[in-house]
Amino acid sequence: MPVNEHTFDIALRLALALAAGGIIGLERSYHGRPAGFRTHALVCVASALLMLVTAYESLWFNAGPSQRAVIDPTRMAQGIMTGIGFLGAGVIMKDGLSVRGLTTAASIWITAAIGILMGIGFYLPAALATLLTLGTLSVFRWIESMMPSQFHAHHSVRFRLAATMPEADYRALIRAQGFSVANLSYAMNREANYFEYQMNVRTTQHGNVNRLTDTLSKLDSVIDFRISPSGD
């Protein structure tokens, strides 16, 4: 495409998409997320680039005098958002009962939407969306930390087979540390000489995790234990 009056506008849209995606990505990189600065920047630029195909279709598609063609820009947007779903799914990880990466997947999805807005020249909605996204990722994080919330975790503990604590006693020990128990299951391995409890635990005081850790560490009958927070 030769340099013309549209060249600056196209370059501006791509540059703004790069800036918006990079700013959102910096927040994710700061918090150590795998999809960070470069990923979000590329997603936003790619979305803008693909929307330029439809926004400037008259520069590359010329129907003949006897031909009639109708191009629907919204179909490109639908295709972009469908493709972003695969990228978002790649950052969602499941570790036991813990699921992480949901917020990063959502940030990738909205970054693609911002790229689409940049690509079609909707600068004000794109700028507002960028600010709202940054506010959601940062300010809302602070609000969540100030709100009272329950701590959920997957807990497992292994006892020496000959010194296994009865279920009723262990439930009482957990409750004494401020936790409630759900979905308790059992496992036994005679060769490894252990009996294991697995359960979901919940508390409203995060400090109770330290109390439970200290209590279990002092029990000679405990071989090992694990407390895995359920985070997003």
Side-chain angles (χ1 to χ4, degrees):
M1 184 183 73
V3 176
N4 53 36
E5 67 275 11
H6 301 294
T7 303
F8 175 78
D9 189 45
I10 291 174
L12 177 63
R13 295 184 186 191
L14 292 176
L16 291 176
L18 177 66
I23 290 172
I24 296 173
L26 282 175
E27 194 279 339
R28 294 284 85 192
S29 292
Y30 177 77
H31 291 287
R33 300 301 185 262
F37 176 66
R38 292 181 299 171
T39 301
H40 284 73
L42 288 173
V43 165
C44 202
V45 171
S47 300
L49 193 61
L50 290 173
M51 286 309 296
L52 288 175
V53 173
T54 56
Y56 288 94
E57 54 88 13
S58 60
L59 300 180
W60 59 270
F61 182 81
N62 294 310
S66 61
Q67 296 176 319
R68 181 175 181 273
V70 177
I71 295 179
D72 183 4
T74 61
R75 297 188 66 180
M76 177 64 78
Q78 292 170 3
I80 293 171
M81 300 312 286
T82 300
I84 290 301
F86 291 96
L87 184 60
V91 301
I92 299 175
M93 304 175 188
K94 188 173 186 298
D95 180 17
L97 296 179
S98 244
V99 178
R100 301 184 182 276
L102 292 173
T103 302
T104 300
S107 69
I108 290 176
W109 191 68
I110 197 170
T111 300
I114 292 170
I116 291 173
L117 294 177
M118 290 294 190
I120 62 177
F122 275 24
Y123 300 129
L124 180 59
L128 290 176
T130 302
L131 293 176
L132 289 173
T133 301
L134 289 173
T136 301
L137 293 174
S138 56
V139 178
F140 280 26
R141 179 188 297 272
W142 176 80
I143 293 176
E144 281 185 335
S145 67
M146 300 298 292
M147 291 174 58
S149 61
Q150 291 185 332
F151 174 84
H152 294 257
H154 176 66
H155 172 49
S156 62
V157 58
R158 290 181 178 179
F159 291 93
R160 286 185 290 106
L161 193 57
T164 300
M165 183 178 294
E167 177 188 341
D169 292 347
Y170 194 71
R171 283 181 178 271
L173 183 148
I174 292 291
R175 287 194 296 269
Q177 310 309 315
F179 288 89
S180 60
V181 179
N183 302 326
L184 190 144
S185 61
Y186 319 88
M188 184 177 68
N189 190 320
R190 292 189 181 278
E191 294 181 357
N193 192 38
Y194 72 78
F195 188 92
E196 181 178 25
Y197 292 118
Q198 295 185 7
M199 67 199 75
N200 297 326
V201 294
R202 182 177 69 245
T203 182
T204 56
Q205 301 293 329
H206 288 215
N208 290 338
V209 178
N210 294 330
R211 291 179 53 194
L212 178 60
T213 300
D214 292 340
T215 300
L216 294 177
S217 299
K218 296 175 182 177
L219 293 178
D220 294 333
S221 58
V222 173
I223 300 175
D224 58 53
F225 64 90
R226 182 179 182 184
I227 304 173
S228 303
S230 301
D232 65 351

